[in-house]
Amino acid sequence: MNLITDAMAQTAEQPAATAPAPAAPSIPAPPSAPATQTGTVASGAPQDAAAQPPALSDLFAQLVPVFVVMGIVYILVIRPRARREKAELEALRNVRRGDVVATTGGIVGKVTKAINDVEVELEIAPNTRIHLLRAAIAEVRSRGEPVKETPVAPATKPANESKAPSKKPTSGAKS
């Protein structure tokens, strides 16, 4: 309430101008000292306190919590995510024959052949094989033992012929 009455008293004390100056608008000058609640100018207030930079200890005290929060975020969020991404990338690189994988499209199949570093051949049904990009593998479900190719074995002899034949003397030749 005092502010309103003080403001009204100040406007009433100013003399009314007889003729306004049309060309030059007046800009109010900033007060030299800050005003108090009653509208009077405070005396003896230090004007240099706001212009001084904060002390080094104050700056350090403000920056420490920021660095602590950044460290906690790194430990709890960034480092585990980087480890998980590294493990997933390593699993994709190590996909080999016999592994059961699930694709990003929802297809589950068995890897039959690693074509190159980018593609694999996936068997999704008996005698149904597709080529798939390694990037489209969402997860490796099970690590199977690689399918071992059996070398083509020579024709085996029947079991009764597997024994060494016995030598019989020929007729007429006596020793």
mmCIF file of all heavy atoms in Angstrom, residues 22-77:
data_model
loop_
_atom_site.group_PDB
_atom_site.id
_atom_site.type_symbol
_atom_site.label_atom_id
_atom_site.label_comp_id
_atom_site.label_asym_id
_atom_site.label_seq_id
_atom_site.Cartn_x
_atom_site.Cartn_y
_atom_site.Cartn_z
ATOM 1 N N PRO A 22 7.936 18.290 -28.934
ATOM 2 C CA PRO A 22 7.502 17.270 -29.872
ATOM 3 C C PRO A 22 8.639 16.442 -30.477
ATOM 4 O O PRO A 22 8.434 15.312 -30.858
ATOM 5 C CB PRO A 22 6.794 18.070 -30.951
ATOM 6 C CG PRO A 22 7.386 19.429 -30.882
ATOM 7 C CD PRO A 22 7.784 19.627 -29.458
ATOM 8 N N ALA A 23 9.849 16.966 -30.608
ATOM 9 C CA ALA A 23 10.884 16.275 -31.359
ATOM 10 C C ALA A 23 11.726 15.326 -30.510
ATOM 11 O O ALA A 23 12.132 14.284 -30.983
ATOM 12 C CB ALA A 23 11.800 17.287 -32.024
ATOM 13 N N ALA A 24 12.011 15.636 -29.275
ATOM 14 C CA ALA A 24 12.938 14.843 -28.480
ATOM 15 C C ALA A 24 12.189 14.090 -27.382
ATOM 16 O O ALA A 24 11.703 14.702 -26.448
ATOM 17 C CB ALA A 24 13.995 15.742 -27.861
ATOM 18 N N PRO A 25 12.085 12.770 -27.494
ATOM 19 C CA PRO A 25 11.476 12.019 -26.398
ATOM 20 C C PRO A 25 12.465 11.935 -25.245
ATOM 21 O O PRO A 25 13.670 11.854 -25.441
ATOM 22 C CB PRO A 25 11.208 10.640 -26.991
ATOM 23 C CG PRO A 25 12.181 10.507 -28.099
ATOM 24 C CD PRO A 25 12.419 11.903 -28.608
ATOM 25 N N SER A 26 11.968 11.982 -24.067
ATOM 26 C CA SER A 26 12.855 11.956 -22.900
ATOM 27 C C SER A 26 13.039 10.515 -22.435
ATOM 28 O O SER A 26 12.092 9.732 -22.407
ATOM 29 C CB SER A 26 12.289 12.810 -21.779
ATOM 30 O OG SER A 26 11.119 12.201 -21.282
ATOM 31 N N ILE A 27 14.272 10.186 -22.103
ATOM 32 C CA ILE A 27 14.604 8.861 -21.600
ATOM 33 C C ILE A 27 14.936 9.027 -20.130
ATOM 34 O O ILE A 27 15.788 9.839 -19.777
ATOM 35 C CB ILE A 27 15.800 8.266 -22.360
ATOM 36 C CG1 ILE A 27 15.450 8.144 -23.840
ATOM 37 C CG2 ILE A 27 16.208 6.931 -21.770
ATOM 38 C CD1 ILE A 27 16.600 7.713 -24.704
ATOM 39 N N PRO A 28 14.269 8.289 -19.267
ATOM 40 C CA PRO A 28 14.568 8.467 -17.845
ATOM 41 C C PRO A 28 15.968 7.968 -17.535
ATOM 42 O O PRO A 28 16.413 6.953 -18.047
ATOM 43 C CB PRO A 28 13.508 7.629 -17.135
ATOM 44 C CG PRO A 28 13.027 6.662 -18.157
ATOM 45 C CD PRO A 28 13.220 7.320 -19.483
ATOM 46 N N ALA A 29 16.683 8.677 -16.715
ATOM 47 C CA ALA A 29 18.041 8.316 -16.315
ATOM 48 C C ALA A 29 17.958 7.234 -15.242
ATOM 49 O O ALA A 29 17.080 7.267 -14.385
ATOM 50 C CB ALA A 29 18.767 9.538 -15.777
ATOM 51 N N PRO A 30 18.850 6.258 -15.295
ATOM 52 C CA PRO A 30 18.836 5.218 -14.268
ATOM 53 C C PRO A 30 19.219 5.799 -12.922
ATOM 54 O O PRO A 30 20.042 6.711 -12.849
ATOM 55 C CB PRO A 30 19.881 4.210 -14.757
ATOM 56 C CG PRO A 30 20.763 4.973 -15.673
ATOM 57 C CD PRO A 30 19.912 6.054 -16.261
ATOM 58 N N PRO A 31 18.625 5.289 -11.877
ATOM 59 C CA PRO A 31 18.961 5.819 -10.549
ATOM 60 C C PRO A 31 20.395 5.451 -10.192
ATOM 61 O O PRO A 31 20.901 4.407 -10.574
ATOM 62 C CB PRO A 31 17.967 5.153 -9.618
ATOM 63 C CG PRO A 31 17.503 3.936 -10.344
ATOM 64 C CD PRO A 31 17.608 4.261 -11.795
ATOM 65 N N SER A 32 21.043 6.316 -9.439
ATOM 66 C CA SER A 32 22.438 6.087 -9.080
ATOM 67 C C SER A 32 22.553 5.045 -7.970
ATOM 68 O O SER A 32 23.547 4.370 -7.852
ATOM 69 C CB SER A 32 23.089 7.398 -8.645
ATOM 70 O OG SER A 32 22.394 7.897 -7.516
ATOM 71 N N ALA A 33 21.532 4.911 -7.167
ATOM 72 C CA ALA A 33 21.550 3.929 -6.088
ATOM 73 C C ALA A 33 20.230 3.176 -6.125
ATOM 74 O O ALA A 33 19.213 3.715 -6.539
ATOM 75 C CB ALA A 33 21.721 4.629 -4.748
ATOM 76 N N PRO A 34 20.212 1.933 -5.693
ATOM 77 C CA PRO A 34 18.976 1.169 -5.745
ATOM 78 C C PRO A 34 17.926 1.734 -4.788
ATOM 79 O O PRO A 34 18.249 2.233 -3.722
ATOM 80 C CB PRO A 34 19.406 -0.243 -5.339
ATOM 81 C CG PRO A 34 20.703 -0.088 -4.627
ATOM 82 C CD PRO A 34 21.340 1.139 -5.182
ATOM 83 N N ALA A 35 16.676 1.639 -5.223
ATOM 84 C CA ALA A 35 15.580 2.157 -4.393
ATOM 85 C C ALA A 35 15.137 1.081 -3.407
ATOM 86 O O ALA A 35 15.199 -0.112 -3.689
ATOM 87 C CB ALA A 35 14.408 2.548 -5.271
ATOM 88 N N THR A 36 14.671 1.528 -2.261
ATOM 89 C CA THR A 36 14.171 0.591 -1.257
ATOM 90 C C THR A 36 12.678 0.432 -1.431
ATOM 91 O O THR A 36 12.086 1.000 -2.337
ATOM 92 C CB THR A 36 14.476 1.103 0.163
ATOM 93 O OG1 THR A 36 13.828 2.355 0.335
ATOM 94 C CG2 THR A 36 15.976 1.245 0.379
ATOM 95 N N GLN A 37 12.034 -0.307 -0.536
ATOM 96 C CA GLN A 37 10.606 -0.560 -0.686
ATOM 97 C C GLN A 37 9.779 0.707 -0.516
ATOM 98 O O GLN A 37 8.712 0.834 -1.066
ATOM 99 C CB GLN A 37 10.141 -1.598 0.346
ATOM 100 C CG GLN A 37 10.592 -2.996 0.010
ATOM 101 C CD GLN A 37 10.014 -3.997 0.987
ATOM 102 O OE1 GLN A 37 9.451 -3.625 2.008
ATOM 103 N NE2 GLN A 37 10.164 -5.264 0.662
ATOM 104 N N THR A 38 10.244 1.659 0.229
ATOM 105 C CA THR A 38 9.460 2.866 0.447
ATOM 106 C C THR A 38 9.655 3.882 -0.656
ATOM 107 O O THR A 38 9.013 4.915 -0.643
ATOM 108 C CB THR A 38 9.836 3.503 1.799
ATOM 109 O OG1 THR A 38 11.228 3.826 1.778
ATOM 110 C CG2 THR A 38 9.544 2.559 2.942
ATOM 111 N N GLY A 39 10.518 3.586 -1.598
ATOM 112 C CA GLY A 39 10.711 4.495 -2.710
ATOM 113 C C GLY A 39 11.858 5.442 -2.484
ATOM 114 O O GLY A 39 12.168 6.260 -3.336
ATOM 115 N N THR A 40 12.525 5.375 -1.384
ATOM 116 C CA THR A 40 13.660 6.253 -1.128
ATOM 117 C C THR A 40 14.931 5.554 -1.553
ATOM 118 O O THR A 40 14.998 4.334 -1.638
ATOM 119 C CB THR A 40 13.760 6.617 0.366
ATOM 120 O OG1 THR A 40 13.927 5.404 1.102
ATOM 121 C CG2 THR A 40 12.521 7.356 0.814
ATOM 122 N N VAL A 41 15.952 6.301 -1.814
ATOM 123 C CA VAL A 41 17.223 5.761 -2.266
ATOM 124 C C VAL A 41 18.012 5.327 -1.057
ATOM 125 O O VAL A 41 18.138 6.052 -0.081
ATOM 126 C CB VAL A 41 17.998 6.829 -3.065
ATOM 127 C CG1 VAL A 41 19.370 6.315 -3.454
ATOM 128 C CG2 VAL A 41 17.205 7.232 -4.277
ATOM 129 N N ALA A 42 18.550 4.084 -1.148
ATOM 130 C CA ALA A 42 19.357 3.576 -0.046
ATOM 131 C C ALA A 42 20.714 4.230 -0.098
ATOM 132 O O ALA A 42 21.295 4.412 -1.154
ATOM 133 C CB ALA A 42 19.498 2.064 -0.148
ATOM 134 N N SER A 43 21.193 4.563 1.033
ATOM 135 C CA SER A 43 22.494 5.215 1.082
ATOM 136 C C SER A 43 23.517 4.252 1.662
ATOM 137 O O SER A 43 23.198 3.451 2.530
ATOM 138 C CB SER A 43 22.420 6.487 1.931
ATOM 139 O OG SER A 43 22.049 6.124 3.247
ATOM 140 N N GLY A 44 24.726 4.335 1.177
ATOM 141 C CA GLY A 44 25.808 3.517 1.705
ATOM 142 C C GLY A 44 25.802 2.088 1.192
ATOM 143 O O GLY A 44 26.502 1.254 1.728
ATOM 144 N N ALA A 45 25.023 1.749 0.159
ATOM 145 C CA ALA A 45 25.020 0.385 -0.383
ATOM 146 C C ALA A 45 26.238 0.212 -1.281
ATOM 147 O O ALA A 45 26.522 1.083 -2.100
ATOM 148 C CB ALA A 45 23.750 0.133 -1.177
ATOM 149 N N PRO A 46 26.960 -0.896 -1.152
ATOM 150 C CA PRO A 46 28.139 -1.083 -2.011
ATOM 151 C C PRO A 46 27.706 -1.395 -3.441
ATOM 152 O O PRO A 46 26.934 -2.292 -3.692
ATOM 153 C CB PRO A 46 28.859 -2.272 -1.369
ATOM 154 C CG PRO A 46 27.798 -3.008 -0.622
ATOM 155 C CD PRO A 46 26.805 -1.972 -0.194
ATOM 156 N N GLN A 47 28.185 -0.603 -4.377
ATOM 157 C CA GLN A 47 27.807 -0.780 -5.776
ATOM 158 C C GLN A 47 28.736 -1.768 -6.479
ATOM 159 O O GLN A 47 28.399 -2.289 -7.522
ATOM 160 C CB GLN A 47 27.853 0.567 -6.495
ATOM 161 C CG GLN A 47 26.818 1.528 -5.996
ATOM 162 C CD GLN A 47 26.925 2.869 -6.702
ATOM 163 O OE1 GLN A 47 27.759 3.046 -7.562
ATOM 164 N NE2 GLN A 47 26.065 3.802 -6.329
ATOM 165 N N ASP A 48 29.892 -2.034 -5.943
ATOM 166 C CA ASP A 48 30.876 -2.899 -6.586
ATOM 167 C C ASP A 48 30.632 -4.379 -6.307
ATOM 168 O O ASP A 48 31.257 -5.233 -6.923
ATOM 169 C CB ASP A 48 32.285 -2.541 -6.128
ATOM 170 C CG ASP A 48 32.667 -1.133 -6.552
ATOM 171 O OD1 ASP A 48 32.106 -0.678 -7.575
ATOM 172 O OD2 ASP A 48 33.493 -0.517 -5.880
ATOM 173 N N ALA A 49 29.705 -4.746 -5.423
ATOM 174 C CA ALA A 49 29.502 -6.152 -5.053
ATOM 175 C C ALA A 49 28.954 -6.961 -6.228
ATOM 176 O O ALA A 49 29.323 -8.108 -6.421
ATOM 177 C CB ALA A 49 28.558 -6.245 -3.860
ATOM 178 N N ALA A 50 28.098 -6.375 -7.026
ATOM 179 C CA ALA A 50 27.525 -7.110 -8.147
ATOM 180 C C ALA A 50 28.510 -7.218 -9.310
ATOM 181 O O ALA A 50 28.419 -8.128 -10.114
ATOM 182 C CB ALA A 50 26.250 -6.427 -8.620
ATOM 183 N N ALA A 51 29.449 -6.310 -9.419
ATOM 184 C CA ALA A 51 30.379 -6.288 -10.527
ATOM 185 C C ALA A 51 31.565 -7.235 -10.312
ATOM 186 O O ALA A 51 32.259 -7.573 -11.247
ATOM 187 C CB ALA A 51 30.890 -4.881 -10.755
ATOM 188 N N GLN A 52 31.818 -7.709 -9.085
ATOM 189 C CA GLN A 52 32.966 -8.556 -8.815
ATOM 190 C C GLN A 52 32.673 -9.990 -9.254
ATOM 191 O O GLN A 52 31.576 -10.504 -9.052
ATOM 192 C CB GLN A 52 33.296 -8.547 -7.328
ATOM 193 C CG GLN A 52 33.824 -7.226 -6.831
ATOM 194 C CD GLN A 52 34.114 -7.268 -5.336
ATOM 195 O OE1 GLN A 52 33.802 -8.238 -4.680
ATOM 196 N NE2 GLN A 52 34.706 -6.200 -4.827
ATOM 197 N N PRO A 53 33.650 -10.671 -9.869
ATOM 198 C CA PRO A 53 33.454 -12.085 -10.245
ATOM 199 C C PRO A 53 33.430 -12.950 -8.991
ATOM 200 O O PRO A 53 33.979 -12.578 -7.962
ATOM 201 C CB PRO A 53 34.671 -12.392 -11.116
ATOM 202 C CG PRO A 53 35.703 -11.418 -10.673
ATOM 203 C CD PRO A 53 34.953 -10.175 -10.266
ATOM 204 N N PRO A 54 32.783 -14.099 -9.087
ATOM 205 C CA PRO A 54 32.739 -14.966 -7.907
ATOM 206 C C PRO A 54 34.128 -15.495 -7.573
ATOM 207 O O PRO A 54 34.988 -15.630 -8.441
ATOM 208 C CB PRO A 54 31.805 -16.105 -8.328
ATOM 209 C CG PRO A 54 31.815 -16.090 -9.806
ATOM 210 C CD PRO A 54 32.060 -14.662 -10.200
ATOM 211 N N ALA A 55 34.328 -15.794 -6.343
ATOM 212 C CA ALA A 55 35.621 -16.310 -5.904
ATOM 213 C C ALA A 55 35.838 -17.703 -6.486
ATOM 214 O O ALA A 55 34.901 -18.391 -6.881
ATOM 215 C CB ALA A 55 35.675 -16.354 -4.379
ATOM 216 N N LEU A 56 37.103 -18.118 -6.535
ATOM 217 C CA LEU A 56 37.452 -19.410 -7.107
ATOM 218 C C LEU A 56 36.801 -20.559 -6.331
ATOM 219 O O LEU A 56 36.343 -21.532 -6.925
ATOM 220 C CB LEU A 56 38.970 -19.575 -7.131
ATOM 221 C CG LEU A 56 39.493 -20.834 -7.814
ATOM 222 C CD1 LEU A 56 39.059 -20.848 -9.271
ATOM 223 C CD2 LEU A 56 40.993 -20.924 -7.698
ATOM 224 N N SER A 57 36.709 -20.432 -5.032
ATOM 225 C CA SER A 57 36.092 -21.497 -4.234
ATOM 226 C C SER A 57 34.597 -21.604 -4.531
ATOM 227 O O SER A 57 34.042 -22.704 -4.526
ATOM 228 C CB SER A 57 36.320 -21.253 -2.742
ATOM 229 O OG SER A 57 35.721 -20.021 -2.363
ATOM 230 N N ASP A 58 33.923 -20.474 -4.785
ATOM 231 C CA ASP A 58 32.507 -20.521 -5.137
ATOM 232 C C ASP A 58 32.304 -21.190 -6.492
ATOM 233 O O ASP A 58 31.385 -21.987 -6.662
ATOM 234 C CB ASP A 58 31.910 -19.106 -5.183
ATOM 235 C CG ASP A 58 31.858 -18.453 -3.809
ATOM 236 O OD1 ASP A 58 31.867 -19.203 -2.808
ATOM 237 O OD2 ASP A 58 31.812 -17.211 -3.756
ATOM 238 N N LEU A 59 33.162 -20.884 -7.445
ATOM 239 C CA LEU A 59 33.080 -21.498 -8.770
ATOM 240 C C LEU A 59 33.332 -23.006 -8.685
ATOM 241 O O LEU A 59 32.625 -23.799 -9.304
ATOM 242 C CB LEU A 59 34.098 -20.842 -9.707
ATOM 243 C CG LEU A 59 34.073 -21.288 -11.166
ATOM 244 C CD1 LEU A 59 32.743 -20.912 -11.794
ATOM 245 C CD2 LEU A 59 35.213 -20.664 -11.921
ATOM 246 N N PHE A 60 34.307 -23.398 -7.891
ATOM 247 C CA PHE A 60 34.620 -24.811 -7.700
ATOM 248 C C PHE A 60 33.442 -25.535 -7.033
ATOM 249 O O PHE A 60 33.097 -26.646 -7.425
ATOM 250 C CB PHE A 60 35.886 -24.944 -6.850
ATOM 251 C CG PHE A 60 36.358 -26.350 -6.689
ATOM 252 C CD1 PHE A 60 36.912 -27.033 -7.755
ATOM 253 C CD2 PHE A 60 36.247 -27.001 -5.462
ATOM 254 C CE1 PHE A 60 37.347 -28.339 -7.614
ATOM 255 C CE2 PHE A 60 36.673 -28.300 -5.324
ATOM 256 C CZ PHE A 60 37.231 -28.963 -6.381
ATOM 257 N N ALA A 61 32.830 -24.900 -6.073
ATOM 258 C CA ALA A 61 31.697 -25.513 -5.362
ATOM 259 C C ALA A 61 30.490 -25.680 -6.289
ATOM 260 O O ALA A 61 29.690 -26.589 -6.096
ATOM 261 C CB ALA A 61 31.321 -24.662 -4.158
ATOM 262 N N GLN A 62 30.362 -24.850 -7.300
ATOM 263 C CA GLN A 62 29.256 -24.983 -8.246
ATOM 264 C C GLN A 62 29.530 -26.043 -9.310
ATOM 265 O O GLN A 62 28.616 -26.685 -9.804
ATOM 266 C CB GLN A 62 28.982 -23.645 -8.930
ATOM 267 C CG GLN A 62 28.387 -22.616 -8.002
ATOM 268 C CD GLN A 62 28.231 -21.262 -8.682
ATOM 269 O OE1 GLN A 62 28.680 -21.079 -9.806
ATOM 270 N NE2 GLN A 62 27.598 -20.331 -7.995
ATOM 271 N N LEU A 63 30.791 -26.243 -9.680
ATOM 272 C CA LEU A 63 31.126 -27.191 -10.734
ATOM 273 C C LEU A 63 31.254 -28.628 -10.246
ATOM 274 O O LEU A 63 31.057 -29.560 -11.018
ATOM 275 C CB LEU A 63 32.420 -26.774 -11.427
ATOM 276 C CG LEU A 63 32.325 -25.510 -12.270
ATOM 277 C CD1 LEU A 63 33.679 -25.181 -12.867
ATOM 278 C CD2 LEU A 63 31.296 -25.669 -13.363
ATOM 279 N N VAL A 64 31.586 -28.834 -8.989
ATOM 280 C CA VAL A 64 31.757 -30.192 -8.461
ATOM 281 C C VAL A 64 30.483 -31.018 -8.619
ATOM 282 O O VAL A 64 30.539 -32.155 -9.102
ATOM 283 C CB VAL A 64 32.247 -30.155 -7.002
ATOM 284 C CG1 VAL A 64 32.115 -31.510 -6.333
ATOM 285 C CG2 VAL A 64 33.691 -29.687 -6.953
ATOM 286 N N PRO A 65 29.299 -30.539 -8.249
ATOM 287 C CA PRO A 65 28.093 -31.362 -8.425
ATOM 288 C C PRO A 65 27.813 -31.709 -9.888
ATOM 289 O O PRO A 65 27.339 -32.801 -10.181
ATOM 290 C CB PRO A 65 26.967 -30.508 -7.855
ATOM 291 C CG PRO A 65 27.629 -29.556 -6.937
ATOM 292 C CD PRO A 65 28.989 -29.326 -7.504
ATOM 293 N N VAL A 66 28.150 -30.825 -10.797
ATOM 294 C CA VAL A 66 27.934 -31.098 -12.214
ATOM 295 C C VAL A 66 28.807 -32.272 -12.656
ATOM 296 O O VAL A 66 28.346 -33.194 -13.336
ATOM 297 C CB VAL A 66 28.242 -29.844 -13.063
ATOM 298 C CG1 VAL A 66 28.218 -30.167 -14.539
ATOM 299 C CG2 VAL A 66 27.263 -28.738 -12.735
ATOM 300 N N PHE A 67 30.077 -32.260 -12.245
ATOM 301 C CA PHE A 67 30.968 -33.355 -12.613
ATOM 302 C C PHE A 67 30.572 -34.667 -11.934
ATOM 303 O O PHE A 67 30.717 -35.739 -12.514
ATOM 304 C CB PHE A 67 32.420 -33.001 -12.297
ATOM 305 C CG PHE A 67 32.987 -31.951 -13.209
ATOM 306 C CD1 PHE A 67 33.520 -30.784 -12.698
ATOM 307 C CD2 PHE A 67 32.982 -32.128 -14.578
ATOM 308 C CE1 PHE A 67 34.031 -29.815 -13.542
ATOM 309 C CE2 PHE A 67 33.497 -31.166 -15.429
ATOM 310 C CZ PHE A 67 34.024 -30.006 -14.909
ATOM 311 N N VAL A 68 30.084 -34.600 -10.714
ATOM 312 C CA VAL A 68 29.638 -35.810 -10.014
ATOM 313 C C VAL A 68 28.454 -36.434 -10.753
ATOM 314 O O VAL A 68 28.403 -37.650 -10.965
ATOM 315 C CB VAL A 68 29.293 -35.492 -8.548
ATOM 316 C CG1 VAL A 68 28.562 -36.646 -7.889
ATOM 317 C CG2 VAL A 68 30.547 -35.148 -7.771
ATOM 318 N N VAL A 69 27.498 -35.620 -11.169
ATOM 319 C CA VAL A 69 26.332 -36.131 -11.899
ATOM 320 C C VAL A 69 26.770 -36.728 -13.233
ATOM 321 O O VAL A 69 26.278 -37.790 -13.640
ATOM 322 C CB VAL A 69 25.278 -35.017 -12.099
ATOM 323 C CG1 VAL A 69 24.205 -35.441 -13.077
ATOM 324 C CG2 VAL A 69 24.669 -34.638 -10.768
ATOM 325 N N MET A 70 27.690 -36.080 -13.927
ATOM 326 C CA MET A 70 28.183 -36.622 -15.195
ATOM 327 C C MET A 70 28.869 -37.971 -14.985
ATOM 328 O O MET A 70 28.706 -38.895 -15.782
ATOM 329 C CB MET A 70 29.139 -35.629 -15.860
ATOM 330 C CG MET A 70 28.440 -34.410 -16.434
ATOM 331 S SD MET A 70 29.529 -33.107 -17.038
ATOM 332 C CE MET A 70 30.647 -33.965 -18.091
ATOM 333 N N GLY A 71 29.623 -38.118 -13.905
ATOM 334 C CA GLY A 71 30.276 -39.389 -13.602
ATOM 335 C C GLY A 71 29.268 -40.487 -13.302
ATOM 336 O O GLY A 71 29.425 -41.624 -13.755
ATOM 337 N N ILE A 72 28.226 -40.167 -12.567
ATOM 338 C CA ILE A 72 27.188 -41.161 -12.249
ATOM 339 C C ILE A 72 26.465 -41.587 -13.519
ATOM 340 O O ILE A 72 26.205 -42.779 -13.719
ATOM 341 C CB ILE A 72 26.212 -40.587 -11.203
ATOM 342 C CG1 ILE A 72 26.925 -40.465 -9.857
ATOM 343 C CG2 ILE A 72 24.973 -41.460 -11.074
ATOM 344 C CD1 ILE A 72 26.134 -39.724 -8.799
ATOM 345 N N VAL A 73 26.150 -40.655 -14.387
ATOM 346 C CA VAL A 73 25.477 -40.993 -15.649
ATOM 347 C C VAL A 73 26.374 -41.880 -16.495
ATOM 348 O O VAL A 73 25.914 -42.857 -17.093
ATOM 349 C CB VAL A 73 25.078 -39.711 -16.421
ATOM 350 C CG1 VAL A 73 24.681 -40.026 -17.844
ATOM 351 C CG2 VAL A 73 23.950 -39.004 -15.694
ATOM 352 N N TYR A 74 27.655 -41.600 -16.530
ATOM 353 C CA TYR A 74 28.580 -42.437 -17.306
ATOM 354 C C TYR A 74 28.614 -43.854 -16.759
ATOM 355 O O TYR A 74 28.539 -44.823 -17.506
ATOM 356 C CB TYR A 74 29.986 -41.832 -17.292
ATOM 357 C CG TYR A 74 31.003 -42.708 -17.965
ATOM 358 C CD1 TYR A 74 31.067 -42.778 -19.349
ATOM 359 C CD2 TYR A 74 31.874 -43.492 -17.220
ATOM 360 C CE1 TYR A 74 31.984 -43.599 -19.980
ATOM 361 C CE2 TYR A 74 32.798 -44.321 -17.845
ATOM 362 C CZ TYR A 74 32.843 -44.358 -19.213
ATOM 363 O OH TYR A 74 33.747 -45.173 -19.837
ATOM 364 N N ILE A 75 28.708 -43.980 -15.438
ATOM 365 C CA ILE A 75 28.815 -45.312 -14.831
ATOM 366 C C ILE A 75 27.523 -46.100 -14.974
ATOM 367 O O ILE A 75 27.544 -47.298 -15.246
ATOM 368 C CB ILE A 75 29.215 -45.175 -13.348
ATOM 369 C CG1 ILE A 75 30.667 -44.700 -13.254
ATOM 370 C CG2 ILE A 75 29.038 -46.494 -12.608
ATOM 371 C CD1 ILE A 75 31.113 -44.329 -11.872
ATOM 372 N N LEU A 76 26.383 -45.452 -14.807
ATOM 373 C CA LEU A 76 25.106 -46.173 -14.802
ATOM 374 C C LEU A 76 24.476 -46.343 -16.175
ATOM 375 O O LEU A 76 23.696 -47.269 -16.383
ATOM 376 C CB LEU A 76 24.109 -45.461 -13.885
ATOM 377 C CG LEU A 76 24.456 -45.457 -12.394
ATOM 378 C CD1 LEU A 76 23.421 -44.682 -11.618
ATOM 379 C CD2 LEU A 76 24.594 -46.860 -11.868
ATOM 380 N N VAL A 77 24.779 -45.463 -17.124
ATOM 381 C CA VAL A 77 24.075 -45.507 -18.411
ATOM 382 C C VAL A 77 25.011 -45.802 -19.578
ATOM 383 O O VAL A 77 24.803 -46.756 -20.325
ATOM 384 C CB VAL A 77 23.326 -44.171 -18.658
ATOM 385 C CG1 VAL A 77 22.659 -44.176 -20.013
ATOM 386 C CG2 VAL A 77 22.313 -43.920 -17.562
#
